[in-house]
Amino acid sequence: MDKEIHIGNHDKFLDKFVQNSGELSLLGKGDGAEVMLQKIRANENVFIEPGTPSEIMEFFYILEGELELEKNCKKAVLKSGDYFYSHYLKETVQFNTITDVTLLYFSTQPVFHYISRAIKDLLILAEKVDIKDRYTHDHIQRVKDYAVKIGNKINLSKEKIENLGFAALFHDLGKIYVPDEILNKPGKLTKDEFDIIKKHPLDGAGLVKDTYFEGIEEIIRQHHERMDGSGYPYGLKGSDILIEAKIIAVCDTYDAMTTDRVYRKAFSPQAAVKEISSLKGTHYDEKVVDTLIDILREEGVI
Ligand SMILES: [Fe+2]
Ligand SMILES: [Fe+2]
């Protein structure tokens, strides 16, 4: 971000999506927090789910309209100028709109994309790729979990960690265009077949383009680049590769190695780590590999 002051008006949002019950627009975000404008039609039931982590604070200021909020079995009618917020929420809170309501919605953690249509569609696609690629269930979730842990440990900014998490979930989206026979071919790939595989980082980046996730495009594009320039699609080297892409490369390889594939049995975590360590500096970023090893040790995996 090069500008420090962002000016917007109600026609110009960072992103917006329309739901059956109304619409939600993202007005601003930074340092993990988000400010949204939520419009809800009359007579809708709205639920605020407990967030993970529970420290999340969600603040709602009623700009227009009336709603009825249920709290500890008591109902309160709130009007324009009233506000309510949840912090350390343990149970779902429900409110009903009496009239059309416009809320200013502030959250200390990113929530917008979890509820936006774009993420749901992309996640459905990502899960399809996971199945198509015949990884055991949750490959992308595990890559995301490890990537975020590494990001935290090397002190990436909250904003970067957020993007890293989404890039990890969506890293292989482009494989949706790779025929199943090639993706799961037990033997060696021909040059032509490998050329088709090599397209997936660019195709994946294309799929997130024009969405709220623009910031992750380049990470997806680079997740098969290798330190010595032997990767694809561009053959980028060392410091030309984004740290987020280097993290995903290591986590993706580690998870792929420790998972049964059609053509081979899973490696043990120890064997996978040994193999990845032997490619430190040539394929993988040294600091990233060492950080993953630290995490696996701390978790008692190795
Ligand atoms: Fe990939
Ligand atoms: Fe992967």
Side-chain angles (χ1 to χ4, degrees), residues 128-136 175 178-189 193 197 260-264:
K128 272 192 196 153
V129 170
D130 240 15
I131 294 164
K132 189 176 149 79
D133 208 6
R134 305 216 196 131
Y135 278 119
T136 52
K175 282 188 180 168
V178 180
D180 287 17
E181 319 78 82
I182 299 180
L183 213 49
N184 292 296
K185 189 176 168 181
K188 212 172 162 357
L189 295 173
E193 287 167 341
I197 297 254
D260 284 330
R261 305 306 306 267
V262 213
Y263 40 88
R264 59 146 176 79

Side-chain angles (χ1 to χ4, degrees), residues 18-31:
V18 179
Q19 304 162 290
N20 292 335
S21 58
E23 60 186 47
L24 184 67
S25 312
L26 183 64
L27 304 181
K29 63 177 205 127
D31 201 26

